[in-house]
Amino acid sequence: SRVIVFAATPQPESQTSGLAVALVGPIIPHRMIRRTATGDERIEFVAAPQVFAVSTEPVVTATVPPDAMIEAGLNAQSTALPRLDQLLSPNLGAWREAFVGLKMAEGLYTFGDADFRRFDGGLRRASIGLPTNAPPGEYTVRAVAFRDGKVVGESRQTFTLARSGLDETL
């Protein structure tokens, strides 16, 4: 399945304006364990999305700095929120990177999978894929508009993914 997002930009187009879309959800706690020679190391993310699909128009990739993507909530690693007592862990970056890697291997985190199309008058359409193994729950679809490397607008919609028919019965 694909989620279709329409966004209108009433201001005139510029060479540095573009759109990013994200499909995020359901948010649940996750625990990770790393086995080492000295014993097990653990981290708990109190909130992290099970699905994270984000894509941007090429102009956004070229003009928006990584810090702006993090602030806009469009960076997968920064969405995994650790317990308060683990927030200052020197290995937090490595844990987040491993978490994203595992989710990518499962096909639940994807990057750059959207199809963007621009129409006259500032209308844009983005089609972003919903992973086939996406779990049921509440999802948020976000469209974030950027100009000159900064967020200038955002829209979000939520929907609930539910199983039906034989899939629900099983």
Side-chain angles (χ1 to χ4, degrees):
S1 297
R2 298 192 72 75
V3 176
I4 308 296
V5 178
F6 286 95
T9 53
Q11 297 179 347
E13 294 290 320
S14 78
Q15 297 295 335
T16 60
S17 66
L19 186 68
V21 294
L23 172 65
V24 181
I27 308 294
I28 65 166
H30 292 271
R31 290 188 182 114
M32 294 179 65
I33 299 171
R34 179 174 53 193
R35 304 206 186 280
T36 66
T38 59
D40 292 349
E41 295 178 14
R42 301 171 190 271
I43 192 163
E44 182 179 348
F45 295 113
V46 294
Q50 288 185 282
V51 172
F52 190 91
V54 66
S55 195
T56 63
E57 289 183 304
V59 68
V60 172
T61 304
T63 62
V64 176
D67 288 346
M69 294 296 280
I70 291 170
E71 287 178 28
L74 298 173
N75 177 284
Q77 291 184 13
S78 66
T79 62
L81 304 175
R83 282 191 342 228
L84 192 55
D85 63 327
Q86 296 175 324
L87 191 59
L88 299 176
S89 168
N91 297 325
L92 182 58
W95 281 109
R96 283 177 164 167
E97 186 176 329
F99 177 75
V100 170
L102 290 170
K103 290 294 185 182
M104 287 180 70
E106 293 177 40
L108 294 172
Y109 278 33
T110 60
F111 306 100
D113 184 34
D115 176 35
F116 288 93
R117 185 160 179 210
R118 290 184 179 214
F119 299 96
D120 291 336
L123 182 64
R124 295 179 180 151
R125 182 187 74 196
S127 171
I128 192 162
L130 180 66
T132 56
N133 57 341
E138 187 170 301
Y139 288 78
T140 301
V141 180
R142 296 180 54 220
V144 181
F146 290 91
R147 178 172 285 124
D148 299 324
K150 297 182 175 146
V151 175
V152 293
E154 177 183 347
S155 177
R156 66 178 63 210
Q157 281 293 107
T158 59
F159 70 92
T160 301
L161 177 65
R163 305 285 182 216
S164 63
L166 183 59
D167 192 27
E168 179 184 27
T169 304
L170 294 175

